[in-house]
Amino acid sequence: MYNPSKLFFKKVVTMIEINYQKILEEIEEEIQPLYKKGHVANYIPALAKINPRQFAMSIRLLDGTTYNIGNTKTKFSIQSISKVFTFTLALQLYGRSLYKRVGHEPSGDPFNSLVQLEYENGIPRNPFINAGAIVVTDSLLSKYKDKSFDTILNFIRLAANDSTISFDKEVYESEVDHGYMNLALINMMKSYKNINNHISDVISTYFKHCSIEMNTEQLADAILYLANDGINPLTNEIITTETKAKRINSLMLTCGHYDASGDFAYRVGLPGKSGVGGGIVAIVPDKMSLSVYSPNLNKQGNSLIGTRALELFTAKTGFSIF
Ligand code: GLN
């Protein structure tokens, strides 16, 4: 028979007894056959040449305890994971009025899709697809002008409590030289009057924040505020409000993996955000943040091994939100 106090007891005991390091070791073992699958993000030449055979995973508990496996010191460009931070900043600045320019519904389309944008008169579905993130970057430019990139970078440094975080110039330049789809998106939105600043300023700031590089340990730290109602528990720094943290997490759950967001929720069951650099971040509310890196991507542009590793993690710990 259902017994709530027994269930509570079981959960507490499970938390104390969980051997995270062992679980990470099992995950590393179990993902090995998947190295043959997927491909790196070849539409950005600087990412196309990255060694695909890499894996790293970090867990950061709210009390600061860290568990690591693999190349957790290897830096990679965080790409679309940066959209979590730019959205956090823009939400802080504009509140609800931001949603006049960018929605909060899943798109069900690829991250760089043009099709829906035309149907919907230049208003992107959400801040985590490229078009939405470009609008968010534009909104930051209106406020911070030529200090926009520095503001974003400093915000990430504050969230992660790490002043060494910087960007990868080669990846940035590679995107500037080859970002044809993003240029198409921003031009279309400009024609619908949903971009207020100069296209070249907005797009270069967008490419630059996508090229910010971090390792899995830094990323787990940077995202920890979303596991703790907006406050980094290690520094007590208020990164956002509790309500906004709730909104950001729900958008990560419904939109964090583009047209594979449903699949990620189904398999992993945690709010998460991926980037084509091969990184994924996820949070277990009130418990921990997680970060995975492995460059080979699935069809929708999400780390193939990263997704599987997080799926194994929630299966082994029972820590999905469902
Ligand atoms: N910088 C990449 C782009 O604009 C980000 C995409 C991603 O990580 N999904 O295409």
Side-chain angles (χ1 to χ4, degrees):
M1 216 175 76
Y2 177 67
N3 177 345
S5 59
K6 195 170 156 200
L7 190 70
F8 176 75
F9 180 72
K10 209 178 126 201
K11 282 220 158 178
V12 172
V13 171
T14 319
M15 276 211 64
I16 295 165
E17 285 179 351
I18 282 182
N19 185 340
Y20 290 105
Q21 201 56 47
K22 183 161 171 285
I23 287 177
L24 289 180
E25 283 160 19
E26 286 171 15
I27 292 172
E28 190 187 36
E29 182 82 32
E30 288 170 47
I31 51 100
Q32 294 298 322
L34 294 178
Y35 279 120
K36 294 189 264 326
K37 297 193 168 177
H39 55 83
V40 293
N42 44 24
Y43 75 102
I44 303 173
L47 295 182
K49 58 181 195 195
I50 281 172
N51 171 16
R53 218 187 150 79
Q54 298 188 71
F55 175 70
M57 185 163 179
S58 297
I59 299 173
R60 187 71 131 160
L61 305 190
L62 294 194
D63 69 1
T65 317
T66 310
Y67 300 92
N68 287 316
I69 194 110
N71 329 104
T72 56
K73 300 283 181 214
T74 303
K75 293 194 178 186
F76 52 92
S77 65
I78 65 172
Q79 295 295 333
S80 283
I81 299 171
S82 63
K83 297 170 182 174
V84 177
F85 304 104
T86 50
F87 180 53
T88 305
L89 264 174
L91 209 51
Q92 208 73 15
L93 277 181
Y94 297 101
R96 251 188 249 178
S97 67
L98 187 66
Y99 298 123
K100 290 189 194 127
R101 302 182 57 193
V102 54
H104 46 80
E105 286 294 338
S107 69
D109 275 324
F111 61 85
N112 56 4
S113 173
L114 270 171
V115 187
Q116 202 167 40
L117 199 55
E118 184 171 16
Y119 284 138
E120 300 184 357
N121 304 318
I123 309 287
R125 274 286 171 107
N126 67 66
F128 294 156
I129 51 172
N130 287 10
I134 291 168
V135 167
V136 166
T137 305
D138 180 61
S139 81
L140 296 177
L141 251 89
S142 296
K143 167 81 179 169
Y144 299 115
K145 317 279 182 222
D146 59 347
K147 299 277 179 296
S148 297
F149 176 71
D150 289 347
T151 305
I152 297 164
L153 182 62
N154 285 333
F155 183 66
I156 293 176
R157 288 172 170 173
L158 178 80
N161 190 28
D162 187 338
S163 59
T164 67
I165 295 167
S166 194
F167 74 104
D168 181 329
K169 197 161 173 283
E170 190 194 342
V171 171
Y172 164 64
E173 285 169 357
S174 187
E175 281 215 73
V176 169
D177 289 344
H178 296 85
Y180 309 117
M181 281 304 273
N182 288 313
L183 280 167
L185 291 168
I186 194 170
N187 275 289
M188 189 191 282
M189 291 191 290
K190 184 86 180 168
S191 77
Y192 282 105
K193 305 206 179 334
N194 198 14
I195 294 291
N196 300 326
N197 297 281
H198 286 298
I199 282 179
S200 60
D201 294 342
V202 180
I203 207 71
S204 61
T205 307
Y206 167 79
F207 287 144
K208 216 166 182 179
H209 70 65
C210 285
S211 71
I212 288 173
E213 54 169 13
M214 289 159 93
N215 59 38
T216 54
E217 286 184 67
Q218 291 169 316
L219 258 178
D221 277 351
I223 212 74
L224 196 57
Y225 71 100
L226 291 175
N228 191 46
D229 296 334
I231 299 171
N232 179 329
L234 309 178
T235 58
N236 287 327
E237 197 72 53
I238 301 172
I239 309 299
T240 191
T241 65
E242 184 177 347
T243 309
K244 291 190 172 71
K246 175 185 124 183
R247 311 264 186 246
I248 299 160
N249 281 329
S250 60
L251 279 192
M252 289 210 295
L253 185 76
T254 54
C255 313
H257 289 76
Y258 325 109
D259 44 341
S261 297
D263 185 59
F264 188 84
Y266 179 89
R267 289 171 56 191
V268 179
L270 293 175
K273 182 76 203 84
S274 69
V276 289
I280 304 182
V281 292
I283 61 110
V284 182
D286 304 323
K287 289 193 177 69
M288 69 191 76
S289 59
L290 299 140
S291 165
V292 204
Y293 171 56
S294 193
N296 270 348
L297 309 176
N298 63 18
K299 269 207 316 281
Q300 293 89 0
N302 304 309
S303 171
L304 194 144
I305 285 182
T307 306
R308 178 67 183 145
L310 289 166
E311 181 181 15
L312 286 167
F313 178 81
T314 52
K316 287 172 190 290
T317 56
F319 284 169
S320 117
I321 62 169
F322 301 108

